[in-house]
Amino acid sequence: MNAVMLVAGREIRSQVRSKGFVIGLLVTVLVMVGLTYAPKVFGGPDSYKIGLVASERLQLPGDVEVEWVEYPAEEPARRAVLAGEVDAVLVDGARVLTENQIDDRLALMLQTAHREAQIAAAGVRTTPLVMEALSPDARYADTRGDIAFVLVLVLFMLIFGTPMMVAMGVVEEKSSRIVEILFAAVRPWQLLAGKVVGLGVIGLINLVVIVGAGLAGATASGLAVDFPPGMAGIVAGVVGWFVLGYLFFALCAAALGALVSRQEEVGSVMTPLTTVVFAAYAVAFYAISEPTGTVARVVSFIPPFSAMVMPVRTAAAPTPLWEVLVAAALMVAALVAMVVLGGKVYERAVLRTGARVRLREVLGSR
């Protein structure tokens, strides 16, 4: 175990000391915080400044901040609108003046308040409708979809990118013949485990930074109030599924990387793995809009697709716990099988330099 930790520590130090890693983390934080503030920036103002010309103040919703400005005549009010001093001007209780097309939210509020004022002036008493939600979680549907969309991109980036680093590292050690020197000090499974664990920690750091920046930005911007219940469980699930998915694909990438001796051949030998990852990405993206559909439900049980599809399903819609547990158990079983298969291929192929080694040949050798 000490040998595994030594190899893992070497991988971690080589990554965190690079400028690219630090710059990448900083850019990631800025992007995630920017995304959380985007709805607030592009969603229209939180307060309005409205002018009045021979008009009474309207009763707007209590959660809207309004500053009223009275003008003696229409002409100075028009100048104020064109100068951008007010968002709109209500004239004679009948017309609304704006510089450009009126903000949709403001228009709806003014129309509603004006109608209510006319009804009250006519002496008609109205009673508000009683709102009863038969499906309380429906109010979180849009937010869940947004969260799931971000998760698809994050998981795809990490589950695809980090195992690729494992494959590149294996080929680099093999082509430089340094792996032969390392095997004099550590056993093959220790070198493989250390590399997978070390780069996995790097991937986990990236994931934690992305999720942490997103949650912090959402809290600061006020977006977190729209988060569905059970966000802690969603976050924990994402981390758990990332670990399972990364370990499976990283072991597969290490085995495939051991078959070649040149960096130029990595892309071709990794084709089966990239095909599976892109297929999982496509289904996970589909699951955002149809999380309870047959395709999403079935594929979320099939390893290794479940590593990307199931966390997206749980984020996009409430998912029964038993489905998550069954999918996790199947993924663990597939991971155990990949540990045996990937370890065997890596050990038998990593010392064989020269031409590309055939997988069938490696599995048939002793």
Side-chain angles (χ1 to χ4, degrees), residues 3-364:
V4 173
M5 291 298 101
L6 285 174
V7 175
R10 183 196 67 170
E11 297 290 342
I12 295 172
R13 287 191 296 272
S14 66
Q15 292 294 325
V16 299
R17 289 176 179 175
S18 66
K19 292 182 179 180
F21 178 78
V22 176
I23 294 174
L25 283 183
L26 292 176
V27 171
T28 299
V29 170
L30 292 176
V31 170
M32 290 304 300
V33 172
L35 287 175
T36 59
Y37 273 91
K40 191 171 185 177
V41 173
F42 298 104
D46 293 326
S47 61
Y48 298 95
K49 192 172 183 179
I50 303 176
L52 297 173
V53 177
S55 304
E56 297 291 334
R57 297 185 181 185
L58 298 176
Q59 187 65 40
L60 298 182
D63 60 343
V64 178
E65 182 180 344
V66 180
E67 179 182 351
W68 300 96
V69 181
E70 296 189 6
Y71 293 95
E74 183 175 332
E75 187 57 33
R78 284 178 173 271
R79 290 197 298 269
V81 171
L82 295 175
E85 297 175 1
V86 292
D87 297 301
V89 171
L90 179 61
V91 180
D92 299 327
R95 292 182 295 129
V96 176
L97 306 178
T98 57
E99 182 178 9
N100 296 306
Q101 186 69 29
I102 189 171
D103 179 76
D104 291 339
R105 185 186 181 198
L106 178 59
L108 179 61
M109 290 189 299
L110 289 175
Q111 290 283 15
T112 303
H114 180 61
R115 183 170 56 250
E116 292 295 329
Q118 288 181 317
I119 292 174
V124 178
R125 183 180 179 183
T126 62
T127 57
L129 294 173
V130 177
M131 304 298 176
E132 181 180 353
L134 299 180
S135 180
D137 286 332
R139 60 169 294 200
Y140 301 110
D142 291 341
T143 305
R144 281 184 173 274
D146 294 339
I147 295 172
F149 176 78
V150 173
L151 288 181
V152 167
L153 300 180
V154 171
L155 288 174
F156 172 74
M157 177 181 66
L158 295 179
I159 289 181
F160 177 74
T162 315
M164 185 65 74
M165 294 169 58
V166 174
M168 297 292 287
V170 169
V171 177
E172 181 181 358
E173 292 175 350
K174 181 177 179 178
S175 61
S176 64
R177 309 297 288 267
I178 194 174
V179 67
E180 300 174 10
I181 301 175
L182 293 174
F183 278 178
V186 297
R187 303 173 70 176
W189 72 267
Q190 292 173 326
L191 180 59
L192 175 59
K195 182 175 292 293
V196 169
V197 170
L199 292 176
V201 170
I202 296 299
L204 196 58
I205 291 174
N206 279 285
L207 179 62
V208 170
V209 168
I210 291 172
V211 173
L215 292 176
T219 301
S221 65
L223 192 64
V225 297
D226 295 323
F227 281 175
M231 271 300 296
I234 293 175
V235 171
V238 169
V239 174
W241 282 109
F242 164 75
V243 171
L244 291 176
Y246 163 75
L247 291 176
F248 182 93
F249 286 112
L251 289 168
C252 182
L256 293 174
L259 298 176
V260 297
S261 301
R262 297 186 304 167
Q263 297 284 355
E264 295 82 2
E265 298 177 299
V266 174
S268 61
V269 78
M270 291 282 286
T271 299
L273 184 145
T274 55
T275 300
V276 173
V277 174
F278 274 97
Y281 169 76
V283 178
F285 204 88
Y286 168 79
I288 296 175
S289 57
E290 296 290 341
T292 58
T294 303
V295 174
R297 291 192 63 187
V298 172
V299 177
S300 66
F301 287 101
I302 303 176
F305 301 98
S306 54
M308 288 184 64
V309 179
M310 184 56 81
V312 172
R313 275 193 61 203
T314 56
T319 306
L321 180 60
W322 72 266
E323 292 189 11
V324 178
L325 295 177
V326 170
L330 293 174
M331 187 65 200
V332 170
L335 176 59
V336 172
M338 182 53 65
V339 169
V340 176
L341 179 62
K344 182 182 297 185
V345 173
Y346 174 83
E347 183 175 0
R348 294 179 179 179
V350 74
L351 291 177
R352 301 173 65 172
T353 58
R356 175 174 171 175
V357 183
R358 294 183 178 276
L359 183 60
R360 182 183 302 176
E361 181 183 347
V362 173
L363 294 177

